[in-house]
């Protein structure tokens, strides 16, 4: 997506850009996690986004197993808000077939709160997420953001499974169209295969795609509690990676403790399921946390962090800083009246590739309770 220039859409309402909001949070973010060069790169991307982005949960993807202090940026996008209107305006002047134009079309087709909205427009949630590769992007590049959609109705493999299959195809079509990819029936068949392999207590939570990367659709399946449940799912799915390594990894963290649920992230390629697996660990029993639930209790992640240290999967200095980050609410002092902020950890992700843990990532967030949501 080619963003508008600073003097354009992000500033036309006179209230500045998202970069101006981010700058106020710099004192809360240790340079151990995001260094100065990475922070400037993030501000550069944020200058093309409206300030109202900060009224919704946003956060950073932190690479915890490497010392380089870089991060990617994730923002919430909700239909019917000023940020959504901003992306619609940007899409109207963008090149046909671009990601900007596709995202605008997606926003125009988002479900609306009116009671007579058509069933098709109620298939996916009014909220979506955009993930900007910044620290992980090649130097000097500004790749289009990844797009993540969430089903409006839980995609659980229950007695209504046949009725829910069309929703999978509809969400896939909306997602791939938004990022500029043509439809692919093989992808749809694989997504339906993932759906059918589920158990009644699991759920396809999100569909994601990164237009700047090799084509793949990322599905997150949540609701797992143990290695046994994950292995049973992978067996039914005939996932091509090393099942035994997945089982042993999850089993060790079961022994360490500190999490209550897990999600599995799978990549669907045109040729089949990808062999890389994401394991997301949650310390609260909620994956899609509503804004009122975006608050960590002090010490919520301490036990899981001890397990990470024992496994030797993280840079100790980064984990020490994160332990302070997850202490809950804090006050921000600056221009105007002091503001209350909630800081926390959404989840920890292990990326398994072959028989090794290739990456350990922390997904942290900032929420301003009571912030105006235009």
């Amino acid at each position: 997506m080619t963003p508008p220039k600073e003097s354009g859409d992000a500033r036309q309402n006179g209230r500045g850009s998202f970069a101006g909001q981010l700058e106020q949070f710099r004192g809360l973010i240790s340079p151990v996690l995001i260094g100065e060069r990475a922070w400037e790169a993030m501000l550069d991307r944020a200058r093309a986004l409206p300030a109202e982005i900060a009224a919704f949960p946003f956060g950073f993807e932190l690479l915890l197993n490497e010392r380089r202090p870089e991060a990617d940026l994730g923002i919430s996008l909700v239909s019917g808000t000023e940020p959504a209107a901003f992306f619609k305006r940007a899409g109207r002047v963008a090149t046909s077939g671009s990601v900007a134009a596709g995202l605008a079309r997606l926003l125009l087709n988002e479900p609306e709160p009116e009671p007579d909205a058509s069933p098709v427009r109620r298939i996916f949630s009014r909220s979506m997420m955009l993930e900007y590769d910044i620290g992980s992007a090649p130097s000097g590049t500004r790749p289009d953001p990844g797009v993540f959609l969430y089903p409006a109705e839980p995609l659980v493999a229950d007695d209504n499974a046949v009725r829910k299959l069309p929703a999978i195809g509809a969400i896939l079509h909306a997602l791939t169209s938004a990022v500029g990819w043509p439809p692919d029936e093989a992808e749809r068949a694989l997504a339906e295969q993932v759906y059918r392999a589920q158990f009644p207590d699991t759920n396809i939570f999100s569909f994601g795609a990164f237009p700047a990367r090799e084509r793949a659709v990322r599905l997150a399946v949540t609701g797992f509690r143990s290695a046994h449940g994950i292995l049973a799912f992978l067996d039914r799915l005939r996932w091509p990676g090393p099942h035994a390594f997945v089982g042993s990894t999850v089993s060790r963290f079961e022994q360490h403790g500190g999490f209550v649920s897990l999600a599995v992230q799978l990549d669907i390629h045109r040729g089949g399921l990808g062999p890389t697996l994401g394991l997301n660990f949650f310390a609260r029993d909620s994956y899609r946390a509503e804004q009122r639930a975006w608050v960590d209790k002090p010490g919520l992640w301490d036990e899981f962090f001890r397990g990470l240290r024992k496994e030797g999967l993280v840079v100790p200095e980064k984990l020490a800083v994160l332990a302070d980050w997850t202490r809950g609410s804090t006050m921000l002092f600056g221009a105007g009246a002091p503001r209350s902020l909630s800081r926390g950890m959404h989840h920890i992700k292990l990326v398994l590739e072959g028989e090794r843990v290739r990456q350990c990532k922390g997904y942290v967030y900032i929420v301003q309770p009571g912030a105006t949501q235009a």
Side-chain angles (χ1 to χ4, degrees):
M1 179 187 304
T2 302
K5 295 180 180 179
E6 273 186 65
S7 59
D9 215 0
R11 294 185 178 272
Q12 70 176 10
N13 58 18
R15 285 178 283 180
S17 71
F18 183 43
Q21 298 292 311
L22 277 182
E23 287 175 326
Q24 301 179 48
F25 305 123
R26 182 51 174 152
L28 303 176
I29 303 169
S30 168
V32 172
L33 298 176
I34 306 179
E36 287 305 314
R37 185 166 61 179
W39 184 252
E40 286 302 319
M42 190 167 296
L43 291 179
D44 182 55
R45 296 304 303 268
R47 288 188 185 100
L49 298 173
E52 290 84 357
I53 290 288
F56 302 87
F58 66 91
F60 311 104
E61 176 186 315
L62 308 169
L63 189 59
L64 302 180
N65 60 304
E66 293 188 15
R67 289 195 175 275
R68 53 189 175 94
E70 297 179 345
D72 294 334
L73 172 68
I75 65 171
S76 304
L77 192 56
V78 182
S79 63
T81 65
E82 174 53 34
F86 163 82
F87 279 95
K88 291 178 186 178
R89 292 192 296 269
R92 291 192 187 104
V93 298
T95 304
S96 176
S98 67
V99 176
L103 189 56
R105 287 194 304 272
L106 178 63
L107 287 165
L108 288 168
N109 287 318
E110 278 188 328
E112 300 293 344
E114 290 86 356
D116 59 348
S118 68
V120 172
R121 300 185 76 194
R122 293 198 299 266
I123 285 174
F124 53 90
S125 168
R126 294 180 65 239
S127 299
M128 67 180 74
M129 189 189 78
L130 301 183
E131 184 175 317
Y132 290 83
D133 287 343
I134 298 174
S136 61
S139 178
T141 64
R142 295 164 63 89
D144 292 322
V147 179
F148 288 80
L149 302 183
Y150 306 96
E153 181 181 352
L155 289 179
V156 179
D158 55 17
D159 293 339
N160 294 317
V162 174
R163 182 177 62 83
K164 294 177 182 177
L165 285 177
I168 293 175
I171 296 173
L172 273 178
H173 178 74
L175 176 67
T176 55
S177 177
V179 299
W181 296 342
D184 190 299
E185 285 302 314
E187 285 176 350
R188 175 173 178 161
L190 283 168
E192 291 178 353
Q193 180 181 333
V194 171
Y195 173 72
R196 292 189 176 99
Q198 290 189 110
F199 295 94
D201 54 352
T202 62
N203 170 41
I204 298 182
F205 167 72
S206 67
F207 295 68
F210 290 86
R213 304 182 189 178
E214 178 186 1
R215 177 164 179 160
V217 174
R218 180 163 297 174
L219 301 184
V221 182
T222 188
F224 297 102
R225 305 286 178 177
S226 66
H228 175 76
I230 290 177
L231 288 177
F233 168 70
L234 295 178
D235 286 341
R236 291 175 67 165
L237 188 57
R238 297 183 180 179
W239 178 67
H243 294 207
F245 181 72
V246 174
S248 63
T249 300
V250 178
S251 293
R252 289 198 305 275
F253 278 96
E254 285 185 75
Q255 295 172 7
H256 298 319
F259 71 91
V260 298
S261 65
L262 303 102
V264 170
Q265 283 191 329
L266 300 152
D267 286 340
I268 293 176
H269 299 273
R270 287 178 171 177
L273 295 171
T276 300
L277 191 75
L279 291 175
N280 294 353
F281 294 83
F282 301 91
R284 62 162 67 87
D285 198 11
S286 173
Y287 189 85
R288 186 192 302 180
E290 301 297 338
Q291 178 157 339
R292 63 181 177 274
W294 288 76
V295 181
D296 279 351
K297 298 177 181 178
L300 180 68
W301 284 93
D302 288 357
E303 187 176 3
F304 190 82
F305 285 174
R306 285 193 288 270
L308 285 175
R309 289 191 187 94
K310 291 177 182 178
E311 293 293 320
L313 295 176
V314 294
V315 174
E317 292 84 355
K318 286 190 173 184
L319 205 59
V321 172
L322 279 182
D324 179 65
W325 177 275
T326 58
R327 296 304 176 190
S329 299
T330 187
M331 296 299 295
L332 181 67
F333 297 92
R339 286 179 287 163
S340 173
L341 300 176
S342 293
R343 300 183 297 168
M345 176 78 65
H346 190 264
H347 65 279
I348 293 283
K349 177 180 177 180
L350 302 183
V351 180
L352 276 54
E353 186 176 76
E355 296 192 357
R356 70 185 183 109
V357 178
R358 180 168 60 86
Q359 291 178 322
C360 177
K361 298 180 177 182
Y363 292 77
V364 300
Y365 62 79
I366 294 176
V367 176
Q368 302 182 75
T372 300
Q373 299 186 2

